[in-house]
């Protein structure tokens, strides 16, 4: 007899409907899987065989052909265990098959018949409506993840026997309800490291606020122990909290990467990813023969922090150039080609020279000019060009260090309110441009519309371009930063002091 069960596979962060057809016929006992299965799916036939026996079902001693459609799509992962098991049970008439069409099945099955959670359930659940599916059957541990999607009926079970009982008598089972993890949405980000703990460094704090308000990339340059890492870690805490749809967007990426910690809960906090400087290109931008999202996609809508930037391999940093500009990364492989979103704010930190003390007020720098030159040569011009805010972080004064409670140290919550207001102003301006979310994403045409300069501002910018030898891109970036500074001040037009402050954040151009 022939049975067909629906399941799905992930391509990038999107879902494709997969049909699992099971035919049982006379012939020598055996089981074959067709339709580009990878080795995990191949192994699934052995797992299913043992599972059915251990769960108390009969394993048909006949010829079983399992065909996965569409035939040209590579099927990978253990999520087909459950649909294959259900298909065999239906084809061997051990369960009722008349309602199978209405459900989509996902799940790994252990040898004792219990169901184990699989990665990528959220993108599949989110695409169910498009695939014409109204009901989904998943392992209990994936239940909340699937239930995040409105309008989808989710059934979740602990083991295969329960799934079989359900299919024989669906009326007796209730669908899963979402338990309201979204209410925790705004709570967690408040527990983060707070700006209140940072002493002094008013200049760097201001830069952090501008970066948050406009989504600008930022680099801190300064001697060891001045607080660069400490400041960078506080950026996610002053970014506006994720909206529900943004949280879903981030959660989809984490779901595909198999990184959802509590299956079921949304990723409610802005991501903060801090890869080590030994990271390889593919781990940063994504890769593998079946591409997985890399650090830049895991930082989507959040912060990618590259601490000790000069320690990263140069060719690895070069990978960042295109994604920084486009907000997505396209990965082509012979077997598959996918696109992952990656709109993140880049924050980097570095010492000003190999010994770390160039320009320091107390400690003498021991590096030769040549050593310093080689050190900076590691960071290519094109990468630095994409960093809007270059900020010198100097060592704290002794009296600042010994302060008991930092003076004037605003909390992250206070700064976040100002950031939110500035972002709201920008969004109001972008009403006719739904793809723009923050000032840093503006293109040249937008600058002409929204960053018009008066004569005094234009003269200021021109002399900065001459003195610092700025590229056209760097000057565009100054305009974007000036726009954000004006938004923070609640002003409609760019003033010379907005442009002047924006020019100040070209520390590195000024050092060279
Ligand atoms: N501005 C500051 N306010 C309060 N504490 C600070 C400040 N700067 C540094 N510290 C203290 O010094 C520690 C080290 O700071 P941090 O790691 O941020 O330095 P860094 O600039 O990143 O140094 P390195 O260049 O060595 O990485 C912090 O954990 C904190 O305890
Ligand atoms: Mg550091």
């Amino acid at each position: 007899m022939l049975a067909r069960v629906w399941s799905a596979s992930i391509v990038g962060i999107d879902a494709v409907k997969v049909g699992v057809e099971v035919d049982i016929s006379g012939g020598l006992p055996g089981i074959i899987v067709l339709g580009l299965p990878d080795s995990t799916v191949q192994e699934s036939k052995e797992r299913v065989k043992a599972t059915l026996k251990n769960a108390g079902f009969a394993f048909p001693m006949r010829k079983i052909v399992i065909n996965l459609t569409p035939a040209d799509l590579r099927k990978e992962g253990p999520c087909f265990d459950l649909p294959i098991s259900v298909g065999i049970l239906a084809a061997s008439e051990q369960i009722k098959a008349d309602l199978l069409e209405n459900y989509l099945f996902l799940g790994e099955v252990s040898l004792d018949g219990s169901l184990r959670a699989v990665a990528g359930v959220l993108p599949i659940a989110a695409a169910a409506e498009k695939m014409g599916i109204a009901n989904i059957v998943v392992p209990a541990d994936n239940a909340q993840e699937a239930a995040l999607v409105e309008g989808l009926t989710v059934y979740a079970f602990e083991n295969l026997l329960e799934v079989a009982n359900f299919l024989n008598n669906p009326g007796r089972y209730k669908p899963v309800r979402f338990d309201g993890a979204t209410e925790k949405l705004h709570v967690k980000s408040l527990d983060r490291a707070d700006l209140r703990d940072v002493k002094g460094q008013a200049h760097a704090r201001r830069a952090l606020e501008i970066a948050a308000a406009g989504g600008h990339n930022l680099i801190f340059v300064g001697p060891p122990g001045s607080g660069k890492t400490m400041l960078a870690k506080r950026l996610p805490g002053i970014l506006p909290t994720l909206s529900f749809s943004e949280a879903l967007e981030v959660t989809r990426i984490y779901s595909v990467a198999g990184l959802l910690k509590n299956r079921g809960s949304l990723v409610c906090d802005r991501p903060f990813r801090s890869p080590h400087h030994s990271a390889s290109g593919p781990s940063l931008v994504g890769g593998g023969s079946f591409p997985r999202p890399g650090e830049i996609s895991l930082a989507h809508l959040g912060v990618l922090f590259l601490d000790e930037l000069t320690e990263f391999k140069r060719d690895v940093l070069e990978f960042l150039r295109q994604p920084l500009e486009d907000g997505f990364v396209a990965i082509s492989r012979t077997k598959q080609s996918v696109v992952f979103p990656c709109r993140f704010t880049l924050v980097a930190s570095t010492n000003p020279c190999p010994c770390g003390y160039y320009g320091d007020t107390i400690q003498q720098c021991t590096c030769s000019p040549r050593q310093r030159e080689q050190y900076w040569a590691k960071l290519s011009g094109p990468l630095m060009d994409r960093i809007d805010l270059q900020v010198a972080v100097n060592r704290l004064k002794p009296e600042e260090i010994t302060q008991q409670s930092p003076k004037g140290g605003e909390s992250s919550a206070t700064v976040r309110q100002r950031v939110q207001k500035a972002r709201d102003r920008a969004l109001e301006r972008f009403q006719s441009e739904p793809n723009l979310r923050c000032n840093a994403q503006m293109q040249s045409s937008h600058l002409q519309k929204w960053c018009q300069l008066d004569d005094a501002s234009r003269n200021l910018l021109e002399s900065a371009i001459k003195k610092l030898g700025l590229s056209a891109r760097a000057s565009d970036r100054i305009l974007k930063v000036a726009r954000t500074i004006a938004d923070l001040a609640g002003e409609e037009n760019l003033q010379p002091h907005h442009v002047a402050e924006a020019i100040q954040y070209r520390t590195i151009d000024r050092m060279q």
Side-chain angles (χ1 to χ4, degrees):
M1 195 190 148
L2 176 72
R4 187 168 64 180
V5 180
W6 290 117
S7 187
S9 191
I10 295 282
V11 178
I13 58 163
D14 294 316
V16 178
K17 195 173 178 181
V18 171
V20 179
E21 298 168 344
V22 180
D23 180 64
I24 302 185
S25 58
L28 284 177
I31 175 167
I32 54 170
V33 184
L34 308 171
L36 282 186
D38 78 342
S39 54
T40 344
V41 183
Q42 282 291 3
E43 285 169 2
S44 155
K45 63 187 184 194
E46 297 303 327
R47 263 199 303 275
V48 167
K49 208 169 177 178
T51 304
L52 289 185
K53 283 185 188 158
N54 292 338
F57 297 100
F59 186 80
M61 294 309 284
R62 298 166 69 189
K63 184 169 181 197
I64 303 175
V65 179
I66 297 166
N67 184 35
L68 307 174
T69 61
D72 58 349
L73 175 78
R74 183 93 183 162
K75 327 290 182 311
E76 52 159 347
C79 70
F80 298 108
D81 285 5
L82 179 59
I84 289 176
S85 309
V86 170
I88 294 176
L89 290 177
S92 57
E93 297 177 9
Q94 299 183 67
I95 56 171
K96 279 195 206 161
D98 42 350
L99 295 174
L100 273 186
E101 273 287 307
N102 303 338
Y103 302 97
L104 188 143
F105 295 85
L106 290 173
E108 181 182 338
V109 185
S110 293
L111 293 188
D112 62 358
S114 57
L115 303 186
R116 294 164 56 102
V118 288
V121 167
L122 179 65
I124 292 173
E129 194 182 359
K130 243 193 283 163
M131 297 191 283
I133 291 283
N135 307 289
I136 180 167
V137 177
V138 294
D141 282 347
N142 285 125
Q144 289 299 313
E145 190 181 342
L148 277 170
V149 177
E150 278 177 22
L152 181 71
T153 312
V154 179
Y155 294 95
F157 301 102
E158 297 282 353
N159 57 51
L160 188 61
L161 196 59
E162 282 180 20
V163 178
N165 290 340
F166 163 72
L167 288 168
N168 287 332
N169 206 340
R172 281 185 31 207
Y173 291 82
K174 284 213 176 87
V176 178
R177 296 240 161 274
F178 183 52
D179 70 5
T182 37
E183 282 154 26
K184 296 175 204 143
L185 198 66
H186 306 308
V187 181
K188 275 200 258 163
S189 47
L190 301 179
D191 303 337
R192 289 236 173 146
D194 200 295
L195 262 186
R196 201 185 288 125
D197 313 329
V198 178
K199 298 173 184 167
Q201 308 297 15
H203 180 57
R205 292 172 65 115
R206 168 78 175 159
L208 213 53
E209 184 172 333
I210 296 172
H216 301 288
N217 300 325
L218 168 82
I219 183 168
F220 287 127
V221 185
S226 53
K228 301 181 296 294
T229 305
M230 190 179 181
L231 281 157
K233 286 193 172 152
R234 281 153 178 80
L235 180 56
I238 59 169
L239 285 168
T241 39
L242 289 175
S243 68
F244 184 71
S245 68
E246 286 176 329
L248 265 184
E249 226 174 285
V250 177
T251 309
R252 278 170 67 151
I253 298 174
Y254 278 70
S255 173
V256 171
L259 289 178
L260 278 186
K261 266 193 224 121
N262 306 324
R263 284 187 181 279
S265 58
L266 273 178
V267 177
C268 304
D269 285 335
R270 295 260 172 196
F272 180 85
R273 303 292 301 183
S274 171
H276 188 251
H277 55 69
S278 60
S280 67
S283 77
L284 209 58
V285 295
S289 51
F290 299 103
R292 288 274 172 270
E295 290 292 337
I296 59 171
S297 296
L298 295 172
H300 183 55
L301 301 183
V303 176
L304 178 73
F305 178 40
L306 301 184
D307 206 1
E308 316 291 351
L309 187 67
T310 41
E311 300 295 325
F312 281 80
K313 287 187 224 72
R314 185 177 172 146
D315 52 336
V316 170
L317 292 179
E318 295 293 304
F319 277 121
L320 291 176
R321 286 168 53 176
Q322 175 270 333
L324 267 173
E325 208 83 347
D326 298 338
F328 65 84
V329 56
I331 300 168
S332 296
R333 294 286 181 274
T334 40
K335 289 170 186 155
Q336 232 178 26
S337 124
V338 297
V339 171
F340 293 118
C342 59
R343 278 229 176 274
F344 58 90
T345 300
L346 173 68
V347 180
S349 91
T350 184
N351 295 137
C353 65
C355 82
Y357 291 101
Y358 181 63
D360 188 37
T361 44
I362 296 180
Q363 202 138 336
Q364 272 284 317
C365 170
T366 54
C367 310
S368 67
R370 172 132 185 79
Q371 275 176 316
R372 281 199 294 270
E373 211 171 281
Q374 278 174 343
Y375 185 77
W376 281 107
K378 268 192 177 176
L379 301 178
S380 77
L383 182 67
M384 292 313 289
D385 237 17
R386 286 167 169 80
I387 297 186
D388 306 358
L389 300 164
Q390 306 165 350
V391 184
V393 183
N394 297 322
R395 79 160 65 222
L396 286 179
K397 296 192 192 91
E399 62 272 22
E400 284 174 329
I401 297 178
T402 52
Q403 258 174 29
Q404 282 297 329
S405 57
K407 256 191 262 154
E410 285 178 309
S411 68
S412 293
T414 316
V415 179
R416 189 167 55 229
Q417 281 174 0
R418 285 200 298 268
V419 167
Q420 182 73 57
K421 269 201 193 136
R423 285 213 171 204
D424 290 345
R425 281 186 79 85
L427 282 180
E428 214 169 282
R429 208 169 38 235
F430 298 154
Q431 264 173 2
S432 57
E433 304 273 353
N435 289 333
L436 291 183
R437 290 192 201 184
C438 56
N439 288 342
Q441 292 169 6
M442 290 193 288
Q443 307 290 327
S444 303
S445 58
H446 305 127
L447 295 182
Q448 279 169 17
K449 225 190 308 179
W450 293 312
C451 302
Q452 295 206 342
L453 297 177
D454 56 18
D455 287 344
S457 308
R458 185 168 305 109
N459 289 341
L460 202 61
L461 185 58
E462 259 175 41
S463 65
I465 292 174
K466 265 188 232 144
K467 254 197 221 138
L468 306 177
L470 298 179
S471 68
R473 187 196 279 126
S475 114
D476 276 1
R477 288 186 177 256
I478 289 178
L479 287 181
K480 293 183 204 175
V481 173
R483 183 64 263 169
T484 303
I485 293 170
D487 284 345
L488 276 168
E491 288 182 40
E492 199 57 45
N493 296 320
L494 293 194
Q495 310 281 344
H497 63 275
H498 300 145
V499 178
E501 186 179 350
I503 293 171
Q504 252 198 73
Y505 297 115
R506 306 300 305 181
T507 307
I508 294 171
D509 297 325
R510 281 188 272 136
M511 274 169 52
Q512 285 168 352

